[in-house]
Amino acid sequence: MLNLRTGFIIAGVVIMSFIMAQNVNSGGPGASGELAKRSEIADKYKWNLKDIFENEDLWEKDFKWIESNVDKYKSFAGKLGATAKILLECFTFDDEISNKFERCYLYANLSKDLEVSDGKYQDMYERINNLGSRIAAVASFIRPEILSLPEGKIAEFIKMEKGLKLYEHRLNDMLRMKLHTLTKGEEQILAYSNPLADVYMETYRMYTNADMKFPMVKDDKGQDIELSHARYYSTMMSLDRGFRERGYKAFFQPFIQLANTITTLYNGSIKYKIYMSKSRKYSGAVEAALTPNNIPVDVYKNLVNTVGENLKPMHRFASLKKKLLGLDKLHAYDTYVTLFPAVKRKYTYDEAVDICLQALKPLGDEYIKDLKFAFDNRWVDVYETKNKRSGAYSSGTVKGIHPYVLLNWAGELNDVFTLAHEMGHTLHSYYTQKNQPYPYADYPIFLAEVASITNEILLMNYLIDNVKTKEEKLALLETYMNNIQGTFYRQTRFAEFEMKVREMAEAGKFMNPEDMAKFFGSLFQKYWGPDMVTDKEEEYSWMRIHHFFYNFYVYQYATGMAAAEALAAEILSKGRPAVDKYLGFLKAGKSDYAINILKKAGVDMTKPGPVMAVVKRAGRSEERRVGKECRSRGS
């Protein structure tokens, strides 16, 4: 069955689109001019991949073991209903294959991301991907064969074979998905098509991470710098508006030049997902994406509708930003610059580590001890280097292996938040794999952003509680508003874009680059309101959002923030009892459905309350307070 873990389902990438660490490398090696070489970075700031395999020979050994044992699946075909013992043996074997596969995949994927243009690691990644498709195909009989058994047979087997009790939730979940499970032959055909899903994303990644060449621009000191994904946000935070505009327009040049290619890749990925959703008898793409995790479609649609009907806080924020910056017109490249430059500072990575250890103390001694262990044992790859993948992520859950965090450090406050965010994912994965047996040693994607954003909220609370001046506090409140904009409103905007594009495609209307740009631009204008100017570059900025190549992922940043706000409030107000419930959430894995796990932690995402709570906070006094304080000083 090859149950790939959460991190792998989303290609190992979990990135906050606003405060993600794509803003690297000021303050670190290679901070100006050419990007640093990997050999120039101290080992303590680089991953230790030997925690997965001591060397590549051991990777090859496991790869060959999997390769030589794959056909053993065939010995179970047609026999799963014979005895409870055979069914248990099949599940046990599948777990062994899957766990070894995940280790091999993790090693290949991380190695590739450190050197995206290295042919050796590309080849390793392709080999393990192809092997995964082979496993999926040869094991594709398991689900349909189980579902073909007479009603009540599974329950009978569980009573007969003690070991099957472990798989009861998984078996019940299979029965829930019976309508969307095909015959043995049909499942095999779909499994053989799996590599096609990667073509669109991998081509996009290769272009944007390895082949894409950004122009040189003059920075705020008049020096020529090489733009990159990592340096884009640092540019957007510059106090020099001319530099921001130059960097903004230059950054999107290569995207716009390849608009036809990227749009074709995106439409291709949509066509594949439509093919899969229709093959599995879903009514539409949203249902196909949410049903496997038992998330009601209304959770997605209610988010889009509720936020779309409550955009006044965003519009007021735009008006406030424009007024306090003293601008006639507000552009996208003005949205990241601070209103409080006097308190703007750089952070070293080591300083950020200390801040996170202090900020997350409300989560208890166990959490802090494990967090420190992660920092001290090279779980984090910190600095941007030439040919390293852009962005930030936590690698996901592999039983018996700790997670890995990729950063591209720029020294901004945003990077401190990104570190807290990714360590939230990491401890979530770590606790899951430590506390759950293999079948449930992962967590549903719907829960993926909750732990990360909870960490951010606790970090913000700590920073506000420890400011020395009113100016610093106002700057942090501004950052909080930026976070709501970036994590809640922006991601919901992306979710609306993705939903509408898919709906049109399902009706037979695939957008060309101009249509796609026009629609994306219209949503940008809708969410930011009349004080914002939508530039041509912003219309085409959808092309840099790699999440669109996944399957309805972005909405979970917004729902994750809603759940995290509620959980953090409980932790800070109730202490130990709330922390215990929260740690239970981190350790729950897939032992239950995501909605139920959150309910046990104290949040009901089937109701509009958590989403509306964020909307109300966005429109609350913090925003007016910043404006009032600034006006009182004549700022």
Side-chain angles (χ1 to χ4, degrees), residues 520-586:
F520 194 75
S522 71
L523 287 178
F524 181 78
Q525 192 70 61
K526 169 187 168 182
Y527 274 69
W528 276 97
D531 285 293
M532 176 62 73
V533 175
T534 302
D535 296 300
K536 173 186 175 182
E537 288 79 9
E538 196 58 40
E539 293 181 340
Y540 284 88
S541 68
W542 72 266
M543 292 186 291
R544 63 180 292 269
I545 311 302
H546 65 272
H547 287 82
F548 291 149
F549 284 84
Y550 304 149
N551 203 22
F552 292 98
Y553 185 83
V554 292
Y555 85 99
Q556 292 161 124
Y557 286 112
T559 57
M561 184 171 203
E565 287 275 6
L567 290 171
E570 288 288 293
I571 290 166
L572 293 172
S573 64
K574 297 183 179 178
R576 190 74 248 170
V579 170
D580 289 341
K581 288 170 67 176
Y582 182 72
L583 291 178
F585 155 74
L586 294 183

Side-chain angles (χ1 to χ4, degrees), residues 93-206:
F93 172 71
D94 181 61
D95 287 351
E96 184 179 14
I97 286 277
S98 297
N99 192 212
K100 284 184 180 292
F101 173 85
E102 287 164 3
R103 288 183 179 228
C104 287
Y105 185 99
L106 179 66
Y107 187 88
N109 194 52
L110 298 184
S111 299
K112 172 181 65 69
D113 285 354
L114 296 178
E115 296 286 350
V116 295
S117 62
D118 191 315
K120 178 177 74 171
Y121 296 122
Q122 286 294 331
D123 178 63
M124 184 183 285
Y125 181 73
E126 287 300 320
R127 287 171 62 203
I128 194 64
N129 255 346
N130 290 337
L131 182 57
S133 297
R134 182 183 163 195
I135 297 169
V138 75
S140 60
F141 72 90
I142 297 175
R143 189 178 295 268
E145 190 170 318
I146 289 173
L147 293 179
S148 70
L149 298 177
E151 187 175 349
K153 190 75 170 179
I154 294 299
E156 180 186 330
F157 274 3
I158 292 172
K159 289 181 181 178
M160 293 171 59
E161 181 62 58
K162 184 179 179 181
L164 280 177
K165 186 70 178 176
L166 173 64
Y167 298 93
E168 185 172 14
H169 178 61
R170 182 192 282 186
L171 286 163
N172 288 335
D173 196 45
M174 284 187 195
L175 294 174
R176 179 181 66 85
M177 294 292 291
K178 187 171 184 176
L179 175 64
H180 307 293
T181 303
L182 310 181
T183 66
K184 174 183 174 181
E186 290 168 337
E187 288 289 343
Q188 190 171 59
I189 290 170
L190 291 186
Y192 279 130
S193 75
N194 283 343
L196 299 178
D198 292 331
V199 170
Y200 309 103
M201 171 56 106
E202 286 306 313
T203 303
Y204 171 83
R205 279 182 185 165
M206 187 57 68

